[in-house]
Amino acid sequence: MSTTPEARDRALRLRELLAEGVLVLPNAWDAGSAAVIASAGARAVATTSGGVSWSLGHGDGERLDRAAAVAAARRVVAAVDLPVTVDAEGGYGPLPADVAATVTELVRAGVVGVNLEDSTAVGGPLYPVAAQAERLRAARTAAEAAGLPELLVNARTDVFLFGLGGLDDVLARAEAYAEAGADGLFVPGLLDLDALTELCRRSPLPVNAMAGPGGPTVAELAAAGVRRISVGTGLAQAAYTAAHRAAVELLGAGTYTELDGALGFGELNGLY
């Protein structure tokens, strides 16, 4: 199986962006949000599984099936002329073969990067280290078989997100995940700058942090050594909050001040 030259170019570009410095990824949840994020100057687009799930009427936590997740990814890829990396949750199945099937379909959809997490369910437990390493190895093998060996595999560990261990546990996973072919380490839930500095110093993989309100700034995370910064469901939450506030005002006071400052119809329509 082969992939397109355009896809390989985008995969290489995504790798270059990570190698050049700090890659900031505002997370999209559909084609429209991806186009808006691209128009804001993003150099690549990442998706958020939570936002994608909400946009399709489901909760987060692999409540989408593989087909729906791949179809959503395909729409995002088609909406932008940028590398797209997709939050593939746990790979839509527990077995290495499940992860391989998901990666194969995402590569066919034009995706050039994936996040794969090591939690078996929201809140944990986590896959044993060796089992998750096998799942990541299956992802790498599937990408090569699909004609995209350059696929960037970002291994997410939920050790800190769900309070299931400490820095040494993360580092043990980082070593195993790197050996299995992962290209990056995503540690949501860890925003302590001292701990991040230590992790970035010792990790064999570039570290990705999930930022948000009240946490360290992009500059502070970069100074700690973080190489990739995303915001998870943050932008989707902000967008849905804006819609809720406008609807409450319209249905209550009957006024429209929450709509002030919105992007114009022509501006949005022109993105497509």
Side-chain angles (χ1 to χ4, degrees), residues 25-264:
L25 293 166
N27 300 82
W29 60 94
D30 60 10
S33 60
V36 168
I37 288 166
S39 74
R43 298 181 294 169
V45 170
T47 66
T48 161
S49 67
V52 171
S53 297
W54 298 339
S55 74
L56 297 174
H58 298 278
D60 195 15
E62 292 207 10
R63 297 187 190 180
L64 288 183
D65 61 19
R66 180 184 297 117
V70 171
R74 184 175 290 109
R75 290 190 291 271
V76 170
V77 169
V80 297
D81 188 24
L82 293 172
V84 173
T85 178
V86 163
D87 179 352
E89 304 193 68
Y92 302 103
L95 301 177
D98 297 318
V99 176
T102 296
V103 167
T104 299
E105 291 302 315
L106 287 173
V107 169
R108 287 174 177 167
V111 170
V112 298
V114 293
N115 272 20
L116 290 165
E117 60 198 48
D118 58 10
S119 53
T120 63
V122 176
L126 307 186
Y127 285 102
V129 176
Q132 182 63 8
E134 282 303 310
R135 285 159 42 82
L136 292 167
R137 192 169 288 111
R140 174 59 62 209
T141 300
E144 292 170 356
L148 192 67
E150 301 89 351
L151 181 81
L152 197 150
V153 178
N154 202 33
R156 168 175 149 174
T157 180
D158 288 338
V159 168
F160 276 92
L161 186 63
F162 299 140
L164 299 174
L167 195 59
D168 287 342
D169 299 289
V170 171
L171 286 165
R173 287 181 177 270
E175 293 284 350
Y177 297 173
E179 186 177 348
D183 301 295
L185 180 71
F186 182 25
V187 194
L190 178 60
L191 287 175
D192 178 86
L193 291 173
D194 289 338
L196 275 171
T197 299
E198 180 71 3
L199 175 61
C200 293
R201 184 180 68 82
R202 297 173 60 189
S203 172
L205 295 169
V207 174
N208 176 183
M210 185 168 69
T217 65
V218 167
E220 289 170 331
L221 290 169
V226 172
R227 299 282 298 283
R228 172 169 160 166
I229 300 166
S230 53
V231 293
T233 58
L235 288 186
Q237 287 174 254
Y240 287 126
T241 299
H244 181 264
R245 287 174 177 166
V248 167
E249 182 190 11
L250 177 61
L251 295 169
T255 53
Y256 322 103
T257 58
E258 290 290 344
L259 302 181
D260 290 346
L263 293 174

